[in-house]
Amino acid sequence: VRRVEGKVAFITGAARGQGRSHAVRLANEGADIIAMDRLANVDSVAYSMATMEDMEETVALVRKAGRRVVARTGDVRRQEDLDEAVREGLGEFGHIDVVCANAGISSFGAVYELSEDQWIDVIDTNLNGVWRTIKAVAPSMIGYGKGGSIIITSSIAAFKGSPNSSHYAASKAGLIGLMHSAANGLAPHNIRVNTLHPTGVATEMIQSPASLKRFCPNVESPSLTDLRGAFSNANSLDIPWLEPEDVSDAVLWLASDEAKYVTGIALPIDAGALNKG
Ligand SMILES: NC(=O)c1ccc[n+]([C@@H]2O[C@H](COP(=O)([O-])OP(=O)(O)OC[C@H]3O[C@@H](n4cnc5c(N)ncnc54)[C@H](O)[C@@H]3O)[C@@H](O)[C@H]2O)c1
């Protein structure tokens, strides 16, 4: 038996990276997918966001896995975009059982040098966007009455000082308070809420040309090899970063009934980075 057979998963930031990987993994295990992504750049972010072609690839991969998919362009900074995606998904599938609140952005600057736009865009996407996602999905999940699993992508940055990423760390730490509270509030409805805390993951967020320059400031034209050096130091296991599929393993577990009594936890998937200090 497939592990999420017949369930429906709503995924934000689904066009590429970890969001796409979660969509494909959950589809391979029997879930239909509602995929949403902004598909347009953010002025305060140095790397590009996903494109329509990226989303088409996610859609094709879900279909290839034999599942149905509703894909929408939408911004987690706008409640009406989330509500509309949920409405369309419910129209197609009738229920939502699994939520991956995955959309997120990063930018860089010393705490006293970040622009107001940088601060607000990161908090509004990474933290407020997850709250809006829960607000959009919870009523239908409660109404359906069969419980569910809300999986929030935080980061190890929630637990560590990040001198050039205080807004990102604040957004990801804020998600823990949101998760604890939502887990208690939704437990009577058998809806579980947990956060995942990955170490570096091989996606555009860290591997785009603009990100490479940020993470390797002393290298003229940094390559993935330079980045590998910078990231390997963070982990205690001997890997530079996770692949998106490694995070999808944890998503699948939390989405499945194998995790039916797991709620209110902050789960690191970090190759030992937090324990290393
Ligand atoms: N890559 C890492 O090293 C790493 C580590 C820990 C946690 N994370 C977190 O993982 C999550 C997924 O990121 P990723 O690594 O796949 O990077 P990514 O940049 O490849 O994916 C993020 C996706 O979110 C979309 N998006 C951005 N802003 C949006 C908005 N306002 N509304 C809707 N969609 C939006 C982007 O278009 C993109 O498709 C993020 O929350 C990120 O903070 C990443």
Side-chain angles (χ1 to χ4, degrees):
V1 175
R2 294 190 293 180
R3 290 162 71 189
V4 287
E5 188 74 49
K7 294 187 197 280
V8 177
F10 176 53
I11 304 174
T12 64
R16 73 175 187 202
Q18 296 177 58
R20 174 192 286 168
S21 172
H22 302 342
V24 172
R25 192 66 191 278
L26 291 168
N28 275 320
E29 292 289 340
D32 292 318
I33 305 295
I34 307 164
M36 192 183 103
D37 201 291
R38 175 173 152 79
L39 305 181
N41 289 339
V42 178
D43 286 347
S44 69
V45 176
Y47 59 93
S48 301
M49 296 296 120
T51 62
M52 188 60 86
E53 291 71 47
D54 290 325
M55 185 60 116
E56 282 164 5
E57 177 70 11
T58 296
V59 166
L61 289 167
V62 170
R63 292 203 175 120
K64 200 170 144 209
R67 301 310 303 189
R68 293 197 289 157
V69 54
V70 166
R72 274 196 71 90
T73 306
D75 193 320
V76 297
R77 292 174 297 175
R78 291 163 48 94
Q79 188 70 53
E80 56 267 41
D81 287 7
L82 285 155
D83 292 345
E84 189 51 43
V86 165
R87 207 167 16 248
E88 191 173 330
L90 287 172
E92 189 73 19
F93 302 126
H95 53 97
I96 293 172
D97 313 277
V98 175
V99 180
C100 298
N102 162 82
I105 56 173
S106 77
S107 56
F108 295 90
V111 63
Y112 53 89
E113 286 175 342
L114 288 171
S115 70
E116 184 127 359
D117 279 352
Q118 282 181 304
W119 180 274
I120 287 173
D121 286 343
V122 162
I123 299 291
D124 205 18
T125 304
N126 297 7
L127 178 57
N128 303 348
V130 172
W131 169 70
R132 291 189 196 97
T133 303
I134 294 173
K135 191 170 158 65
V137 292
S140 76
M141 293 174 81
I142 292 168
Y144 187 50
K146 300 217 169 143
S149 176
I150 299 176
I151 302 151
I152 298 170
T153 303
S154 176
S155 164
I156 56 168
F159 301 110
K160 293 167 72 136
S162 304
N164 288 312
S165 225
S166 52
H167 54 339
Y168 186 82
S171 73
K172 295 301 190 183
L175 288 174
I176 299 175
L178 171 60
M179 174 274 288
H180 281 147
S181 305
N184 284 349
L186 293 170
H189 305 285
N190 198 27
I191 298 168
R192 301 177 289 104
V193 189
N194 299 286
T195 48
L196 295 177
H197 301 266
T199 185
V201 187
T203 67
E204 286 296 288
M205 184 175 280
I206 65 166
Q207 296 190 336
S208 71
S211 308
L212 284 178
K213 271 201 173 328
R214 274 296 176 186
F215 287 114
C216 311
N218 302 322
V219 184
E220 181 81 39
S221 3
S223 66
L224 276 186
T225 309
D226 300 308
L227 189 72
R228 189 170 276 121
F231 271 72
S232 293
N233 289 334
N235 302 330
S236 54
L237 296 179
D238 188 21
I239 54 158
W241 42 63
L242 308 173
E243 295 302 325
E245 292 75 15
D246 299 323
V247 182
S248 300
D249 286 340
V251 164
L252 177 59
W253 176 65
L254 284 173
S256 77
D257 294 341
E258 293 158 33
K260 62 180 177 293
Y261 300 132
V262 179
T263 193
I265 71 160
L267 177 65
I269 309 161
D270 72 338
L274 289 170
N275 184 49
K276 187 173 181 186

